[in-house]
């Protein structure tokens, strides 16, 4: 037992070290550490044990920079003691954070205030203190000259509500501002995915209402409609649920390969000749594209795509593209 002075144990250097190492070892072994039991074990009061636990927490935070994972000590009510748990893997590297910051800035997806807040927290949480100034300096000019999109809409809460509705298979009712004119329409839809493409986040959903669907080019219910989330004026998540059998589930990854321009429409196959110098740009733009043949630098390409957007893209290529089918 240690010596007590004024109700508090006197910690000799070796005694404290042995005590902290003992507690740390038990935590590493998955044991619950109870303050009262540890105080009795070492002949100190519980405040000393609490300081030891705080010291171990501080050590774990410092160790996280080198160890590749983040551990912490938290109180477990069930066992009435402290346990060690691994929260997450190591923070991203400086170069990875810089790349993510550049991608976020290039997306221009959020209003400037939101973008600044996201980048500040991303850097503060994931970059060591000594490198934060460097990373901020590398993106500072781009952030200073950041240009918001013209809609200037804050939609993060709306997007989260849509995400929860997708998870719970709940219908949603939206008031949606169409692109043409200022008309706002009301739609009841089955939300199935959230996607991002070229500055905007989109809701992919299916419409049940036959009266509404008759005005669409696509009458087959297997093809979803697409809504820009920033154009959703009001959103209501309904109690009513929908069921999509697993075999008929919406596969966002497969859909993403085939819709590059966020226009609704049927699944179609296109075939064209490409006369440009960089066919890789075509293959990257159209993930389902296949080169059927190549002759004298002219490529015959085939691809599966959803919607009318492919026609706009083909026309935008001018003399570099000749549509075959």
């Amino acid at each position: 037992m240690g010596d007590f002075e004024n109700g508090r144990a006197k910690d000799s250097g070796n005694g404290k070290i042995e005590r902290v190492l003992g507690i740390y070892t038990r935590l590493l072994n998955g044991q619950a550490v109870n303050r009262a039991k540890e105080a009795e074990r070492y002949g100190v009061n519980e405040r000393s044990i609490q300081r030891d636990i705080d010291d171990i927490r501080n050590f774990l935070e410092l160790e996280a920079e080198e160890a590749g994972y983040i551990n912490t000590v938290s109180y477990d009510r069930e066992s009435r003691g402290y346990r060690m748990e691994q929260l997450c893997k190591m923070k991203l590297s400086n170069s990875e954070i810089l790349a993510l910051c550049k991608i976020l800035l290039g997306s221009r997806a959020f209003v400037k205030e939101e973008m600044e807040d996201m980048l500040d927290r991303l850097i503060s949480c994931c970059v060591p203190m000594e490198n934060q100034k460097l990373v901020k300096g590398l993106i500072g000019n781009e952030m200073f000259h950041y240009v918001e999109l013209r809609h200037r809409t804050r939609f993060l809460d709306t997007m989260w509500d849509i995400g929860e509705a997708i998870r719970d298979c709940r219908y949603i009712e939206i008031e949606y501002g169409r692109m043409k004119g200022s008309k706002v329409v009301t739609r009841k839809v089955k939300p199935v995915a959230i996607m991002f493409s070229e500055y905007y986040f989109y809701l992919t959903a299916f419409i049940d209402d036959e009266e509404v669907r008759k005005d669409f080019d696509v009458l087959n219910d297997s093809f979803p409609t697409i809504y820009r989330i920033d154009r959703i004026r009001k959103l209501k998540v309904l109690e009513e649920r929908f069921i999509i059998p697993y075999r008929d589930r919406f596969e966002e990854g497969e859909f993403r390969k085939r819709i590059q321009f966020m226009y609704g429409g049927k699944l179609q196959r296109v075939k064209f000749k490409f006369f440009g110098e960089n066919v890789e740009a075509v293959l990257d733009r159209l993930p389902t594209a296949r080169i059927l043949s190549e002759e004298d630098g002219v490529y015959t390409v085939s691809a599966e795509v959803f919607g009318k957007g492919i026609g706009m893209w083909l026309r935008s290529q001018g003399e570099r593209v000749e549509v075959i089918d």
Side-chain angles (χ1 to χ4, degrees):
M1 291 290 183
D3 296 325
F4 280 81
E5 187 175 274
N6 297 325
R8 176 178 173 180
K10 295 190 293 183
D11 286 340
S12 66
N14 290 338
K16 180 176 175 62
I17 292 172
E18 290 175 3
R19 192 174 68 237
V20 171
L21 288 176
I23 294 172
Y24 183 60
T25 300
R26 282 186 282 284
L27 289 169
L28 283 177
N29 290 335
Q31 299 177 32
V33 171
N34 178 277
R35 284 187 304 182
K37 290 182 179 179
E38 295 299 319
E40 184 179 354
R41 183 197 303 270
Y42 292 106
V44 296
N45 60 33
E46 292 186 30
R47 289 193 300 275
S48 295
I49 300 299
Q50 184 61 60
R51 284 193 293 270
D52 295 338
I53 292 171
D54 292 340
D55 289 340
I56 291 171
R57 279 201 186 108
N58 294 334
F59 168 73
L60 291 173
E61 289 179 7
L62 295 173
E63 188 188 44
E65 299 291 346
E66 303 292 336
Y69 50 82
I70 300 175
N71 285 329
T72 190
V73 177
S74 54
Y75 187 74
D76 180 16
R77 291 184 179 276
E78 187 174 339
S79 61
R80 297 183 179 181
Y82 291 86
R83 290 187 181 276
M84 185 180 292
E85 59 178 345
Q86 188 174 114
L87 291 181
C88 60
K89 292 297 181 182
M90 177 54 184
K91 299 175 182 179
L92 296 168
S93 68
N94 296 332
S95 56
E96 288 169 334
I97 291 297
L98 177 60
L100 289 175
C101 289
K102 288 291 185 179
I103 291 170
L104 271 174
L105 285 165
S107 75
R108 293 176 59 204
F110 308 102
V111 298
K112 187 170 184 177
E113 186 177 345
E114 285 181 325
M115 183 65 76
E116 286 178 335
D117 187 46
M118 285 183 187
L119 293 175
D120 280 343
R121 282 184 286 153
L122 185 61
I123 294 170
S124 297
C125 292
C126 299
V127 178
M129 184 69 69
E130 64 270 19
N131 293 326
Q132 289 182 14
K133 186 175 181 180
L134 172 61
V135 175
K136 288 181 179 180
L138 290 170
I139 65 170
N141 186 263
E142 193 171 356
M143 188 68 250
F144 180 78
H145 293 287
Y146 182 76
V147 179
E148 298 177 338
L149 296 178
R150 296 180 67 86
H151 63 72
R152 292 184 172 85
T153 303
R154 296 170 181 265
F155 54 84
L156 287 172
D157 290 340
T158 299
M159 190 161 66
W160 180 256
D161 291 340
I162 292 172
E164 290 190 319
I166 292 170
R167 179 199 62 194
D168 298 335
C169 293
R170 292 187 184 276
Y171 282 92
I172 61 173
E173 187 175 274
I174 60 174
E175 291 184 12
Y176 185 73
R178 283 180 165 175
M179 191 176 299
K180 296 179 180 179
S182 57
K183 184 177 180 181
V184 176
V185 296
T186 300
R187 295 283 184 263
K188 176 186 173 183
V189 298
K190 302 174 183 175
V192 292
I194 295 172
M195 306 179 74
F196 178 80
S197 178
E198 296 178 334
Y199 309 128
Y200 307 112
F201 284 93
Y202 295 87
L203 161 66
T204 305
F206 292 98
I207 298 176
D208 275 348
D209 192 330
E210 291 292 336
E211 281 299 307
V212 172
R213 290 175 60 228
K214 72 181 183 180
D215 295 328
F216 284 73
D217 293 335
V218 180
L219 296 181
N220 190 330
D221 193 40
S222 64
F223 302 109
T225 52
I226 299 168
Y227 304 90
R228 258 177 50 184
I229 291 179
D230 62 276
R231 292 182 182 274
I232 295 176
R233 305 287 189 261
K234 289 185 180 179
L235 169 74
K236 183 179 181 181
V237 179
L238 306 178
E239 291 298 319
E240 184 182 358
R241 295 176 184 266
F242 58 88
I243 298 175
I244 299 179
Y246 183 78
R247 66 179 182 277
D248 299 326
R249 73 193 186 282
F250 182 77
E251 296 191 76
E252 186 175 346
E254 290 300 314
F255 186 67
R256 160 60 85 182
K257 293 179 186 176
R258 292 165 175 80
I259 186 159
Q260 302 303 309
F261 310 98
M262 293 301 163
Y263 283 86
K266 295 181 179 180
L267 181 65
Q268 57 187 311
R269 184 177 295 278
V270 296
K271 187 162 69 171
F272 57 91
K273 289 185 177 180
F274 180 72
F275 299 87
E277 295 180 0
N278 185 11
V279 73
E280 285 186 1
V282 175
L283 301 179
D284 289 340
R285 192 70 170 91
L286 305 172
T288 61
R290 294 186 300 113
I291 297 175
L292 302 179
S293 64
E294 185 269 329
E295 185 177 350
D296 298 328
V298 178
Y299 297 88
T300 300
V301 180
S302 174
E304 273 190 347
V305 291
F306 273 105
K308 300 176 180 179
I310 184 62
M312 299 171 59
W313 180 80
L314 290 169
R315 289 191 295 272
S316 74
Q317 301 304 301
E319 295 180 353
R320 293 182 297 176
V321 165
E322 177 186 323
V323 179
I324 300 173
D325 183 14

